[in-house]
């Protein structure tokens, strides 16, 4: 079934450790996004990529980095995790950033930083 | 400041009843408004999109409305089912490609 795959599903991480959240899509979408979802807050954009080879900063980029080496993969890296990065992380994609197509989301990675 | 506000924050209804969720936005320039359904432990899934010229659109038991003058949208669910229990998120696109997410309404349907 076409869609977005995120891994891992959940993770407990010690503060100060490095962690990469994986995201792969098989829909050949150009635009990809990383969001975090916290209780009482709407989904907030961390980083985005409008096409392979390009990335941009979203609303809450500090402490995170991304890369987009190809169309399908968009990993999110926490270089040195802090407790405030405890959240549920969603990867999403859509065909292009300008059109009206919906975002397709993965099922999220629940990250706890202790 | 561009904002999207949803109400109520949470709602409990009995199976078979109708309900209406609200979304108010202060976004300019407006491109479109989309409603998503998010089941527990899953990513959001698009239900419907409303563009500036559309007033009403239905998707099965879900009917969305848009009043571009008052900058309000509603999502009406008819004859609710247990599977409707989820969070419903209003997302407004502005300036062609920028998205603002509401905080969602958590709906619980009980038998």
């Amino acid at each position: 079934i076409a869609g977005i795959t995120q891994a891992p599903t959940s993770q407990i991480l010690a503060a100060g450790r490095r962690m990469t959240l994986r995201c792969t899509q098989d829909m050949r979408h150009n635009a990809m996004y990383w969001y975090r979802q916290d209780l009482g807050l709407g989904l907030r954009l961390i980083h985005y990529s409008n096409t392979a080879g390009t990335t941009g900063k979203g609303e809450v980029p500090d402490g995170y980095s991304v890369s987009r080496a190809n169309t399908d993969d968009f990993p999110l890296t926490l270089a040195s995790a802090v407790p405030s990065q405890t959240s549920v992380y969603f990867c999403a994609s859509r065909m292009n950033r300008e059109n009206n197509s919906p975002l397709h989301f993965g099922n999220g990675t629940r990250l706890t930083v202790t | 400041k561009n904002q999207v506000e949803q109400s109520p924050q949470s709602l409990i209804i009995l199976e078979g009843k109708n309900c209406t969720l609200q979304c108010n936005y202060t976004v300019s320039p407006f491109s479109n408004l989309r409603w998503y359904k998010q089941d527990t432990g899953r990513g959001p899934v698009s239900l419907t999109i409303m563009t500036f010229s559309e007033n009403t659109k239905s998707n099965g038991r879900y009917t969305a409305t848009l009043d571009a003058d008052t900058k309000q949208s509603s999502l009406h669910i008819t004859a609710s089912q247990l599977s409707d229990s989820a969070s419903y998120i209003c997302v407004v696109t502005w300036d062609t490609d920028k998205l603002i997410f509401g905080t969602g309404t958590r709906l619980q349907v009980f038998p």
Side-chain angles (χ1 to χ4, degrees), chain A residues 31-35 45 47-48 74 90-92 94 97 103:
Chain A
M32 297 189 73
Y33 309 83
W34 274 105
Y35 292 92
L45 182 64
H47 284 287
Y48 65 92
F74 191 43
F90 287 98
C91 181
R94 58 180 174 175
R97 69 182 177 96
L103 287 170

Side-chain angles (χ1 to χ4, degrees), chain B residues 90-105:
Chain B
C90 174
V91 183
V92 177
T93 301
W94 66 284
D95 196 20
T96 305
D97 64 341
K98 299 177 179 61
L99 305 178
I100 299 181
F101 289 76
T103 56
T105 292

Side-chain angles (χ1 to χ4, degrees), chain A residues 32-107:
Chain A
M32 297 189 73
Y33 309 83
W34 274 105
Y35 292 92
R36 60 178 290 173
Q37 186 175 42
D38 302 291
L39 195 64
L41 300 174
L43 283 150
R44 292 183 293 169
L45 182 64
I46 304 170
H47 284 287
Y48 65 92
S49 170
N50 290 328
T51 188
T54 70
T55 62
K57 294 182 179 180
E59 180 185 356
V60 288
D62 294 342
Y64 306 95
S65 64
V66 293
S67 62
R68 186 88 183 276
N70 56 61
T71 297
D72 299 343
D73 302 301
F74 191 43
L76 176 73
T77 297
L78 288 68
S80 180
V82 295
S84 62
Q85 292 178 312
T86 293
S87 187
V88 181
Y89 292 86
F90 287 98
C91 181
S93 72
R94 58 180 174 175
M95 182 55 69
N96 292 300
R97 69 182 177 96
E98 291 110 348
N99 67 13
N100 285 336
S101 62
L103 287 170
H104 294 258
F105 286 87
N107 285 327

